[in-house]
């Protein structure tokens, strides 16, 4: 007798499988819109540059681009060389040797990040001026009576601009190099030392080649910050491509010419991004399980004189990047305490805080939107959109401002045309020439900061935490609001602070997009420095530095706690 098996019901997929297979077109569409908004200024610049009549290009090619491009490349080379030597050298000394105040220098070397390059340029210009404290002290010490009696380098030069930018950006390289030295050096360097290699030989033959990808990535970030600067190079009289965009646009009234120079800068930015990605392709970290920091062999103990030399060598970059600006502006503020109640300073402070708060909230919202799309879809296309949305941080503020101004003007004209056709009214300029354009520009530029901070917090959470909540019947949005957001509060706070502070410091895009009468702390300092009265912007400068200290403290807290790293 044959037994016919009963038909079985088709196996139902588990709730986890159904959750993983869901498609969320709304989240994906939102990430597409964010990526398009970031790319819009870039596409606008390229279209305007390509669609130009070509009348300005021969003039730019003959008189503007050779000098500006040459100066820009020289400045980038000097800054890359300077930050590489200072950042890597400081990281190696702090990691490899033991000497008095080593733990202090480990976190104090991050302090120059609180000073924007344009503030450092204003302070250096005053400090190294003929009537400044340094030259005045030299004349008093050696009895000089006139500039003809001695030679002193001119800070208002390309090398001076390189010194300024290097002084405040080397911590980018210091932080990346220090992390790699700690993570890689714990194993391979100690093995080399047991075989008799000296610390210097270990550094040049083992650790430096291993850390090269991270060092290149840090230098690439520094070079992008150098391209973004306009306040320092303008004040020091260094005509870079960034300054050429600004002068061609505002002084010569040629948007097409400015767009063509900006297109050349986009090529440089693309090359820097490619170099960073090329360097990161071989970046790997290894830390053996069970290896504890306390089990690491002690650092090489320096003799008293060598320890003193190391301390002096480490205090110099701190004094240049943080000490000189604080000293110069502090001296001016001590004689102008009444400016704390100056209506212009108060207005600039309120405006800066308001714009920065709105930008931080908007940027954080967009970062959560695109990361939520990644969380739901987990597809390669969504990750590609996130990378596109992060491109804005690499864009110099002048390029972003120019592209945004052109695109917003066309959008305003389109809306005005529709209003005239259907309602018979004119809407005028809704976004162009308003504070909203500055918020949009800062949001596009600093979206990568917020996304990176939130993503770092999200990666620390258990991967199935969200899926477990949804398997119990919660929707994707309910799971995000009830489970993930409360756990992400520290990461969200860090992201908001980073965007807030960078918006307060932002100058390049603000001076090009601001409406008439619009003044932030950065533009207030810039306006006074432009008319040769740096001292009148000292209060605003110290307020910017005080605000920027907050993320620096966040970066330094792990270094303060860990005295053995």
């Amino acid at each position: 007798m044959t037994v016919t098996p009963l038909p079985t019901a088709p196996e139902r997929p588990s709730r986890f499988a159904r959750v993983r297979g869901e498609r969320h077109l709304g989240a994906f569409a939102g990430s597409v819109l964010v990526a398009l908004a970031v790319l819009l200024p870039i596409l606008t610049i390229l279209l305007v540059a390509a669609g130009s009549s070509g009348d300005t290009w021969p003039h730019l090619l003959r008189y503007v681009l050779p000098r500006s491009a040459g100066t820009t490349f020289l400045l980038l080379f000097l800054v890359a060389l300077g930050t590489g030597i200072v950042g890597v050298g400081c990281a190696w000394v702090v990691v490899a040797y033991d000497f008095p105040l080593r733990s202090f220098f480990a976190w104090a070397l991050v302090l120059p990040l609180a000073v924007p390059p344009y503030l450092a340029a204003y302070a250096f210009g005053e400090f190294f001026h003929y009537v400044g404290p340094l030259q005045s002290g030299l004349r008093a010490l050696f009895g000089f009576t006139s500039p003809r009696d001695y030679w002193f380098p001119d800070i208002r030069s390309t090398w001076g601009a390189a010194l300024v930018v290097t002084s405040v950006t080397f911590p980018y390289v210091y932080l990346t190099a220090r992390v790699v030295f700690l993570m890689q050096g714990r194993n391979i360097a100690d093995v080399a030392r047991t075989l008799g290699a000296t610390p210097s030989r270990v550094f040049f033959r083992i650790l430096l080649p291993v850390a090269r990808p991270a060092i290149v990535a840090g230098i690439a970030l520094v070079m992008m910050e150098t391209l973004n600067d306009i306040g320092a190079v303008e004040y020091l009289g260094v005509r870079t491509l960034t300054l050429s965009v600004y002068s061609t646009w505002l002084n010569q009234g040629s948007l097409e010419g400015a767009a063509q120079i900006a297109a050349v800068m986009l090529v440089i930015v693309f090359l820097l991004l490619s170099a960073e990605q090329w360097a990161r392709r071989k970046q790997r970290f290894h830390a053996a399980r069970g290896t504890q920091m306390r089990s690491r062999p002690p650092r090489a103990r320096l003799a008293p004189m060598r320890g003193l030399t190391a301390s002096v060598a480490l205090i110099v970059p701190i004094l240049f990047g943080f000490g000189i600006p604080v000293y110069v502006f502090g001296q001016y503020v001590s004689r102008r305490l009444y400016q704390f109640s100056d209506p212009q300073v108060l207005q600039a402070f309120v405006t800066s805080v308001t714009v920065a708060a709105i930008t931080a909230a908007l940027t954080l919202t967009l970062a959560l939107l695109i990361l939520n799309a990644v969380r739901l879809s987990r597809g390669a296309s969504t990750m590609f959109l996130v990378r596109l949305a992060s491109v804005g941080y690499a864009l110099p503020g002048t390029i972003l401002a120019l592209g945004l101004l052109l695109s917003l003007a066309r959008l305003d004209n389109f809306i005005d045309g529709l209003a005239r056709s259907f309602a018979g009214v004119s809407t005028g300029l809704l976004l162009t020439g308003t504070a909203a354009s500055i918020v949009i520009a800062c949001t596009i530029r600093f979206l990568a900061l917020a996304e990176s901070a939130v993503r770092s917090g999200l990666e620390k959470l258990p991967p199935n935490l969200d899926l477990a909540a949804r398997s119990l019947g919660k929707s994707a949005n309910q799971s995000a609001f009830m489970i993930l957001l409360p756990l992400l509060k520290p990461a969200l706070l860090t992201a908001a602070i980073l965007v807030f502070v960078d918006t307060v410091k932002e100058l390049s895009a603000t001076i090009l997009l601001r409406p008439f009468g619009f003044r932030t702390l950065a533009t207030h300092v810039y306006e006074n420095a432009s008319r040769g009265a740096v001292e009148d912007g000292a209060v605003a400068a110290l307020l910017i530095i005080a605000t920027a200290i907050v993320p620096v403290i966040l970066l330094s807290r792990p270094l303060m706690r860990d005295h053995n790293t």
Side-chain angles (χ1 to χ4, degrees), residues 27-267:
F28 181 78
S31 60
V32 170
L33 293 177
V34 174
L36 289 177
V38 173
L39 293 177
L40 182 60
I42 302 176
L43 297 176
T44 302
I45 286 177
L46 295 178
L47 289 175
V48 172
S52 174
S53 61
D55 296 338
T56 59
W57 181 249
H59 171 77
L60 296 176
L61 193 60
R62 184 174 181 180
Y63 297 106
V64 178
L65 285 177
R67 177 185 175 188
S68 299
T71 302
T72 300
F73 284 120
L74 177 59
L75 179 62
L76 291 176
F77 171 77
L78 293 176
V79 171
L81 182 64
T83 53
I85 294 175
V86 177
V88 175
C90 291
W92 170 242
V93 171
V94 168
V95 170
Y97 298 99
D98 192 14
F99 53 92
L101 299 179
R102 187 199 63 82
S103 58
F104 164 77
F105 289 118
W107 67 265
L109 284 165
V110 188
L111 287 176
L113 284 180
V115 183
Y118 58 89
L119 290 187
Y122 304 153
F124 275 48
E126 298 294 304
F127 187 81
F128 292 102
H129 193 269
Y130 176 75
V131 296
L134 183 58
Q135 291 201 55
S136 298
L138 289 175
R139 290 195 301 273
L141 180 62
F142 295 101
F144 299 135
T145 58
S146 70
R148 294 187 297 272
D149 296 337
Y150 65 100
W151 176 85
F152 194 85
D154 187 9
I155 193 67
R156 296 178 181 272
S157 59
T158 303
W159 82 265
L163 175 64
V164 167
V165 179
T166 299
S167 298
V168 296
T169 57
F170 79 86
Y172 289 115
V173 182
Y174 164 74
L175 289 171
T176 56
R178 184 178 183 277
V179 169
V180 177
F181 288 157
L182 284 172
M183 298 183 69
Q184 299 284 23
R186 187 180 307 167
N187 299 298
I188 58 177
D190 293 341
V191 171
R193 290 192 188 100
T194 61
L195 297 177
T198 62
S200 60
R201 186 176 180 85
V202 170
F203 172 71
F204 286 106
R205 298 294 298 273
I206 297 177
L207 291 182
L208 192 59
V210 169
R212 185 170 56 233
I215 295 171
V216 172
I219 291 177
L221 179 59
V222 168
M223 295 172 76
M224 286 186 282
E225 288 292 325
T226 305
L227 274 179
N228 176 65
D229 174 72
I230 188 174
V233 294
E234 182 185 21
Y235 183 76
L236 298 176
V238 180
R239 192 170 186 83
T240 60
L241 288 171
T242 305
L243 185 58
S244 295
V245 172
Y246 178 76
S247 60
T248 303
W249 178 5
L250 296 184
N251 297 339
Q252 300 180 16
S254 175
L255 281 175
E256 294 80 6
Q260 290 171 341
I261 300 175
V264 175
M265 291 183 63
L266 283 175
V267 175

Side-chain angles (χ1 to χ4, degrees), residues 34 356 358-372 386 389-393 442-459 488-503:
V34 174
I358 296 174
T359 301
L362 181 58
T363 305
L364 203 57
T365 301
L366 295 180
L368 289 173
L369 174 66
I370 59 178
L371 287 176
N372 185 54
V386 172
S390 302
V391 170
Y393 190 69
C442 293
T443 299
I444 292 175
R445 187 157 196 272
F446 302 131
L447 178 60
L449 283 179
E451 185 271 335
S452 177
V454 176
R455 174 165 45 83
S456 298
L458 193 61
E459 290 173 349
L488 286 174
K489 284 183 179 180
L492 296 177
L493 179 62
T494 301
I497 291 175
L498 290 175
V499 174
F500 180 91
V501 171
D502 271 13
T503 304

